[in-house]
Amino acid sequence: MRRQITVAEITETAVRLADEQGLDQVNLSRIAERLGIKKQSLYNHIEGLEDVKCSMVIYACGQLRTVLTEAAVGQSRENAVFSVAYAYRKFAHEHSGQYQVIMTESWKYKKDEKLKFAIHLFMQVIRKVLSQYDLHDIELTHAVRGLRSMMHGFVSLEASGWFQNPTDTSESYQQLIKTYISGVEAWEIQKKYEE
């Protein structure tokens, strides 16, 4: 009897492969092997590897959004920022393939409406957390970009093996978040004086 597969199953298989072996190890032959089907059978469901990678980005963004949302629930201001930042780093560590596909493949499919929506939803979690501060419109956008850049920069350098000094990296990350929060709070105070 012929094995029935779905696009979701193909995507999840590709994601698991990326997390286990790295994004560069994801190809149609390996996906088909994992699914126990012939490579050609995949084309009944997908157009090619690029199609799979776009689906992987959408899937991974959804997973990261869920993780960040759960971390932020019931938290406010400083605690919310810390919770989201810790959850972000943990996701990048535990699901390195998914994190890599978000960061390296998203721009290739920016015209895909489902992908744009998935990215929007995940970024909205960060925006909602920072909206608890007295920042609005452009200021809030700057703050969101700052937090995202800080988190991504740290976990990317960490993944690349740049932190060789024996100083605890978790403590470095904590100090970085504290510094960021202090900057946002100082921005709030400055705004009040200017009003």
Side-chain angles (χ1 to χ4, degrees), residues 28-29 32-33 37-43:
L28 296 183
S29 296
E33 184 181 353
I37 61 173
K38 293 180 179 178
K39 177 181 173 180
Q40 292 305 114
S41 299
L42 291 172
Y43 290 101

Side-chain angles (χ1 to χ4, degrees), residues 56-73:
M56 288 174 70
V57 175
I58 294 168
Y59 178 92
C61 281
Q63 295 298 304
L64 180 53
R65 175 175 62 89
T66 297
V67 165
L68 298 185
T69 299
E70 290 174 353
V73 169

Side-chain angles (χ1 to χ4, degrees), residues 2-193:
R2 181 176 293 180
R3 168 99 188 271
Q4 296 296 316
I5 61 170
T6 63
V7 173
E9 195 174 358
I10 293 169
T11 302
E12 289 167 14
T13 300
V15 163
R16 283 195 298 274
L17 187 59
D19 278 344
E20 292 168 13
Q21 298 182 22
L23 183 59
D24 60 341
Q25 295 301 308
V26 175
N27 59 49
L28 296 183
S29 296
R30 287 193 174 95
I31 294 170
E33 184 181 353
R34 286 267 180 122
L35 289 169
I37 61 173
K38 293 180 179 178
K39 177 181 173 180
Q40 292 305 114
S41 299
L42 291 172
Y43 290 101
N44 294 325
H45 308 278
I46 59 164
E47 294 181 6
L49 185 59
E50 296 301 295
D51 193 21
V52 174
K53 285 188 176 178
C54 183
S55 294
M56 288 174 70
V57 175
I58 294 168
Y59 178 92
C61 281
Q63 295 298 304
L64 180 53
R65 175 175 62 89
T66 297
V67 165
L68 298 185
T69 299
E70 290 174 353
V73 169
Q75 305 292 335
S76 62
R77 290 175 64 91
E78 180 178 342
N79 289 336
V81 175
F82 268 111
S83 294
V84 164
Y86 289 148
Y88 188 99
R89 181 175 178 234
K90 185 178 180 184
F91 181 89
H93 284 179
E94 295 180 354
H95 304 285
S96 58
Q98 290 185 60
Y99 188 74
Q100 189 179 6
V101 81
I102 293 172
M103 296 304 141
T104 62
E105 301 290 328
S106 298
W107 66 274
K108 295 180 184 177
Y109 316 106
K110 59 185 177 182
K111 292 182 180 179
D112 186 285
E113 292 300 322
K114 289 182 180 178
L115 184 141
K116 285 197 291 188
F117 188 60
I119 291 173
H120 169 75
L121 290 178
F122 130 61
M123 289 302 296
Q124 280 299 105
V125 179
I126 299 174
R127 192 173 185 88
K128 188 171 182 180
V129 164
L130 292 173
S131 68
Q132 297 177 72
Y133 291 90
D134 188 22
L135 303 173
H136 307 283
D137 302 324
I138 293 174
E139 294 167 344
L140 183 55
T141 297
H142 290 324
V144 170
R145 287 175 178 172
L147 180 57
R148 176 81 188 287
S149 298
M150 179 198 73
M151 295 186 298
H152 173 63
F154 193 93
V155 299
S156 296
L157 288 169
E158 202 169 26
S160 297
W162 275 93
F163 299 141
Q164 295 298 314
N165 187 293
T167 303
D168 183 16
T169 52
S170 293
E171 187 175 337
S172 296
Y173 192 61
Q174 182 181 38
Q175 291 301 322
L176 187 60
I177 301 163
K178 280 184 179 179
T179 302
Y180 171 83
I181 292 170
S182 295
V184 171
E185 290 174 345
W187 198 359
E188 277 189 308
I189 294 169
Q190 180 184 342
K191 278 186 60 187
K192 288 177 182 176
Y193 280 117

